[in-house]
Structures are given as C-alpha cells and as structure tokens.
Amino acid sequence: MYERHHYINGSDVEGASGRFGPIFNPSTGEQQGKVSLASKSEVETCIAAAQAAFPGWSATSVVKRARVLQNLVQLLYRDKDKLAEALASEHGKVFSDAQGDVQRGLEVAEFAQGIPHLLKGEFSDNVSGSIDMYSMRKPLGVVAGITPFNFPAMIPLWMSCMAIACGNTFVLKPSEKDPSTPLMFGELWKEAGLPVGVFNVINGDKEAVDTVCTDPRVKAVSFVGSTPIAQYVYSTATAHGKRCQAMGGAKNHMIIMPDADLDQVADALVGAAYGSAGERCMAISVAVPVGKQVADKMVDMLKPRVEALKVGHSMDMEAEMGPLVTADHLAKVRGYLDLAEKEGADVVVDGRDFKYSMQGYENGYYLGGSLFDNVKPEMRTYREEIFGPTLQIVRAETFDDAIRLPSEHEFGNGTSIFTRDGDTARAYVNNVEVGMVGVNVPIPVPLAFHTFGGWKSSAFGDINQHGMEGVRFYTKTKTVTSRWPTGIRSGAEFVIPTLNS
C-alpha cells in the first residue's frame, strides 16, 4: 500500500497532521494507498512557499516563462501514458479516456506557451499634449486551484498552466480520491525548469479548502466541482476579498430534431452519456427528441446500443466504460436510479443488475448503462445531477417546447442540437440559456484557445476557464499615463485632464 504526501518547494513533503484519506482502486474495490490530509498550518506552509517564490517568478521575463511551458509540453507528451495509467488506476476511467484527460490538459499548456503574445497590453500614442497612455497585465500573486476527482489531469493543467504563465505562483488542492497524477505534475514542472515554490500541491479535505479560501496571501481561487461546493467556495473566497471562479454541476440536454441523422445521434448519445461512466460535467444526461415518431425511434435505436456497452476495468483496452470512482458514489447513483423508477420514469435499460465477473475485479464499483424514457421536468432525478452512466429521455412536442427545457433548468453548463436545418440551429444557438452549445457536436467542450464556462448554477464568477478569459482571471490591469518634461508648461493645473488638454 503506497502513501501520497504533499509537494512543497520542489520536494515531496510527508504530512504532519496524522490524518489520511484512503485511495481505492475502483476496478477492484480494494484500497491501494492512502493520502495525507493537511492541517491548517500545513496549508499555510504551502502558501508561504508560493509567496516566497512570487517575487522572482513574477520578475522572470515572459520569454523565459514561455520556454518553461514549452519544456513542460514536451515532458507531458513523453509521460502521457504513464500519467494516464496512474490516473486510470485511481479514478477508474478506461485507459483511452485517461489519455484524453491528459491530452486536453496538455492542450492548455500548448496554448499557454504563447504567453508573450497573450500578455501584450494596449498603447495609445500622443493622446493629448505629448501624453502617451498604455496598459499592462500584471500577475496577482499566490493563486490556488481546487480540482475535482473526475479530471485529475485536465483541470489541474487548465488552472496551473495559465496561472504560472501569467507570472503567478500556484497552490493546487486536488481531489483526495485520485491524487497521484497531480503530484506527478510537480516533478514535471521541476524538470521543465520551473523554480521551486512556484507550483505546489497540498492534499486535504474541507480544512484545506477553508484555509485556501480565507488566507489573505491567496489572491484568487479557481474551483471545479459540484454546485453546492462551488457556491460555498465562491461565497467564502469572495467574502475574504479574493477573485474567484467556481464551476459547478450540470444537466446537459441534447435536442434531436426530426430531420437529424438518427444513426449519428444514437452513436453520439451513447458516447456522450456513458463515456467515463457519466462522470463528466459535460456529459449529455438528457435527450430531448422532438415529436413522438422521433422519440419512439430514438428509444428503439438506443436500447440495443446501451445494452451492448462494454464495461470493464480501467486497463481493459476493449472496454468502453469503467467503474465509478468510489463505493459511496456508486451507492449514490444507484439511489438516483431507484428514485427514477419510483417517480414513474419508464426503465428501458436497467444497469443496476450489472455484475462484472472477471476474476479479481468482482468487487469493483461497476454499474451498467441505464436508459429511462418518459422522464418529466418535475421529477427530482431530472432536476438534479446524477453524475453516472444513465440517460434520461424527456419528450417534446415542438422545438419551442424543447428549447424551454435547458433554458428553464437550474443548470446551464452545456447543450447540443442535432439537425440538418441551419435556421433551426441558429435559432437554438442564439436563444438557449446555456453557456456552451454544440451543433451536431455531442460534447461541446471548447478547445484551449476559447473559453470554458457555463451559466446559472453551473458557474459562479464573471470570468471563465482558459483561453483569453484565463489570462484575464490570472492578471490585473495597470494603466499608465506618461508625459516627459519637454514642452510641459509651468504652473499648477487644477482641472482634471481632458482630451482638450
């Protein structure tokens, strides 16, 4: 059984609190390790290391920062499979999906290599009376990221790469369920040439989160997780004067119009709903076919596909879906499936009875894919995020009925529409009250050079993840107005300068 500690000032640091959290292998159901859970004083030590490193790193030229990012990108490519294997063994997602987790984070590192260009300010020459005006983007200081279990590579890289490229120092508090991959990033940053103390990892639970959110040395907090915790982090951090972006839960709808290619839709739905066992904030969990004929045909097409899903352990190269992350989460998802049936939804495919019989994996946290039809908007299982391998079908009579469902839902993270009609697609894109929209794309996660973020209860804060929004979040603007002595008239001036000055 292995132990995972903290990464502070470029070194592995054993925990001193005496508290540990278990690390399970979801594929077997067995505990394979334990992780130190930091005390308040240990988090403060980690923040102090980041604070001490800030003056030197913030003064480092943007070209040198970019070169560190370039080195990191090469190292991530080199160790991509090693990172994915560690990730899969603790999270449970299948190896190919774990590789994708690393790749999408790596792409943000690639984007951050362009920081010399991204940080360019604005300049206005001779705005008035030999006065020049220009703006600069300056780093904030110590910033922190609090990341979830479902993307232990992608989201820490989203946050840390943009923050560090902008000249900040970084404290990462990853999920205690799968801490190995985030800790591996520490050594990769060091090998890339990052000075010690710029990137730190502190493992912990609520005590660590509360310390990060209240310590005055931390200037900004980025969070991804469930909506209740996102709301808590946002309110706590902002109450203590910090900039905060907190991404929460989701209930993502796919609208299926009568003219859509239903074979394409069925394949897209299976991948978007059941990939990573549904443990994605961008998973499609609600299908909205428009019209009875489309709905009936959609159910007939989905049923055999869901029944044929290949469920296996995380390193089964033929598996399409692995186990859920913990026994507690498995029980929670099963509870939602029980509730859906009690609420009156029609069970088309029931994944609750799935048994994985491969020797050595019988006790893993497995659940088969489930499909429910005739789900109603008033049902609790529709209103809440299930975060498991289940797809709910909510039938709509018209396009207007369909667009109201995601627009009126509490969450507003992602949505998709499948149609061959450009007018319909354009109307949907322009009018749906959701932050990220796909047209004939099942999971509309923006690439690194655009921005990621939902609306309503899916996101708290005004600035989104990565892209230019990431640069804005991790910097503050300084505007300079300058005039040199030549030609300056003598005498006091008592009025505010204007364009006529």
Side-chain angles (χ1 to χ4, degrees), residues 442-453:
I443 304 179
V445 179
L447 293 176
F449 39 87
H450 283 271
T451 183
F452 178 98

Side-chain angles (χ1 to χ4, degrees), residues 81-146:
D81 288 352
K82 182 180 177 182
L83 291 162
E85 187 172 349
L87 190 163
S89 71
E90 293 181 349
H91 175 275
K93 63 176 65 178
V94 296
F95 183 67
S96 58
D97 196 26
Q99 289 176 308
D101 190 332
V102 178
Q103 179 65 36
R104 289 307 293 265
L106 194 161
E107 290 167 3
V108 174
E110 290 177 322
F111 174 73
Q113 292 175 121
I115 198 64
H117 173 74
L118 299 173
L119 283 180
K120 287 194 301 186
E122 299 172 323
F123 186 93
S124 296
D125 173 59
N126 199 32
V127 294
S128 179
S130 300
I131 293 176
D132 301 326
M133 190 173 292
Y134 60 95
S135 63
M136 301 180 288
R137 289 201 166 273
K138 309 296 283 187
L140 304 177
V142 179
V143 299
I146 304 170

Side-chain angles (χ1 to χ4, degrees), residues 98-335:
Q99 289 176 308
D101 190 332
V102 178
Q103 179 65 36
R104 289 307 293 265
L106 194 161
E107 290 167 3
V108 174
E110 290 177 322
F111 174 73
Q113 292 175 121
I115 198 64
H117 173 74
L118 299 173
L119 283 180
K120 287 194 301 186
E122 299 172 323
F123 186 93
S124 296
D125 173 59
N126 199 32
V127 294
S128 179
S130 300
I131 293 176
D132 301 326
M133 190 173 292
Y134 60 95
S135 63
M136 301 180 288
R137 289 201 166 273
K138 309 296 283 187
L140 304 177
V142 179
V143 299
I146 304 170
T147 57
F149 72 81
N150 61 321
F151 284 101
M154 180 180 78
I155 296 176
L157 288 172
W158 278 9
M159 296 177 184
S160 64
C161 291
M162 295 305 303
I164 289 171
C166 288
N168 303 283
T169 54
F170 193 78
V171 173
L172 172 65
K173 206 304 283 182
S175 171
E176 65 275 19
K177 295 180 176 67
D178 41 18
S180 290
T181 301
L183 285 166
M184 292 166 73
F185 291 148
E187 290 301 323
L188 292 180
W189 274 111
K190 185 177 180 180
E191 188 178 350
L194 189 71
V196 298
V198 177
F199 177 85
N200 307 274
V201 182
I202 192 80
N203 285 299
D205 50 13
K206 186 176 183 295
E207 185 172 349
V209 170
D210 287 344
T211 306
V212 164
C213 289
T214 58
D215 192 299
R217 292 170 294 182
V218 177
K219 303 305 179 184
V221 176
S222 181
F223 172 88
V224 175
S226 68
T227 286
I229 307 302
Q231 196 163 18
Y232 172 79
V233 167
Y234 181 78
S235 60
T236 305
T238 54
H240 287 82
K242 305 182 193 309
R243 183 178 292 182
C244 186
Q245 55 181 190
M247 307 299 168
K251 199 74 175 185
N252 304 318
H253 298 63
M254 180 191 288
I255 310 303
I256 306 157
M257 297 303 295
D259 66 338
D261 181 333
L262 296 188
D263 279 313
Q264 182 190 36
V265 170
D267 290 339
L269 270 173
V270 170
Y274 302 102
S276 197
E279 295 172 323
R280 295 171 174 159
C281 68
M282 290 298 288
I284 293 293
S285 53
V286 180
V288 185
V290 177
K292 184 179 185 305
Q293 184 177 359
V294 176
D296 290 344
K297 189 169 184 180
M298 201 75 258
V299 171
D300 290 341
M301 296 175 73
L302 284 170
K303 185 176 185 294
R305 284 172 165 83
V306 178
E307 291 173 334
L309 279 170
K310 297 177 181 178
V311 182
H313 63 84
S314 61
M315 296 305 293
D316 180 351
M317 299 304 169
E318 295 183 357
E320 297 167 323
M321 187 178 87
L324 277 74
V325 66
T326 62
D328 288 343
H329 189 59
L330 173 63
K332 180 181 178 180
V333 173
R334 288 182 65 92

